[in-house]
Amino acid sequence: GVRVTSPTRATPFTWTVVHRKGAVVIAPMMSDGKFLLVRQERVPIRATIWEFPAGQIDDNESPDTVRATGLRELHEEAGYELAQDGELISLGHFFPSAGFTDEHSHLLLARAFVPHLHGQKFDDHEAITECRAFSVEELRAMIASGEVGDANTLAAFARLVAMRIIAL
């Protein structure tokens, strides 16, 4: 833990802080408006869940590194790459668990992508069982029912709605 004071607490107190690399979450939007999600095994919650592709940033953080990480995850987890006329749009960032970690996740929207020549390329620690497209309404229903519940996907969906990129 660290000893800190804050604007609301003049008396020093101890707080446990976990330092973690930043991450990138990529929301791949198809030309028909559907989104690609991957079904990934998540050991800590002992479940296999639908989520947007995501991964930690490997190098020093910069806009190019965020972009490179998003493209890497689109390839590794979903098996796609940006088309020549494709674009990556920043949706900002968020803090997945600000109560105990300084980790922040960058949100990207990918538009216009094509299957990667070599398909998916999983990391050793990844277990992705499926990749498929869902309509905005299907994704909304999955979020409403709790079937989609990871912070990355929820934050990306909320940002897409708040920025009026998708309408409900």
Side-chain angles (χ1 to χ4, degrees):
V2 293
R3 297 276 302 161
V4 295
T5 60
S6 76
T8 60
R9 297 186 229 177
T11 305
F13 59 97
T14 302
W15 199 271
T16 300
V17 178
V18 175
H19 297 290
R20 210 156 174 244
K21 290 189 221 177
V24 176
V25 182
I26 187 158
M29 185 181 204
M30 303 176 73
S31 57
D32 63 2
K34 290 184 177 181
F35 285 92
L36 284 180
L37 274 74
V38 295
R39 192 163 172 81
Q40 185 161 191
E41 181 181 88
R42 293 299 190 180
V43 173
I45 62 169
R46 296 195 175 30
T48 303
I49 61 173
W50 287 107
E51 55 189 49
F52 283 133
Q56 285 192 315
I57 297 171
D58 287 338
D59 305 313
N60 292 328
E61 186 181 332
S62 75
D64 287 346
T65 305
V66 169
R67 178 182 169 86
T69 302
L71 292 174
R72 182 192 75 214
E73 295 304 321
L74 183 63
H75 170 207
E76 287 182 359
E77 295 190 0
Y80 287 85
E81 63 184 342
L82 213 54
Q84 282 198 342
D85 63 341
E87 57 183 340
L88 282 183
I89 299 164
S90 173
L91 305 176
H93 70 277
F94 80 103
F95 300 97
S97 190
F100 90 100
T101 179
D102 59 0
E103 178 187 13
H104 58 284
S105 295
H106 298 269
L107 302 169
L108 296 176
L109 169 64
R111 282 189 173 142
F113 45 90
V114 293
H116 194 282
L117 182 64
H118 303 295
Q120 293 163 303
K121 182 184 140 195
F122 304 134
D123 281 347
D124 291 339
H125 64 278
E126 289 176 330
I128 294 172
T129 60
E130 206 176 338
C131 174
R132 66 177 244 236
F134 295 89
S135 69
V136 170
E137 179 53 33
E138 288 172 320
L139 183 50
R140 185 211 57 77
M142 291 164 72
I143 290 170
S145 72
E147 183 180 355
V148 168
D150 72 291
N152 289 336
T153 306
L154 295 175
F157 189 84
R159 195 65 58 87
L160 287 162
V161 171
M163 293 175 75
R164 294 190 169 101
I165 293 169
I166 58 176
L168 298 178

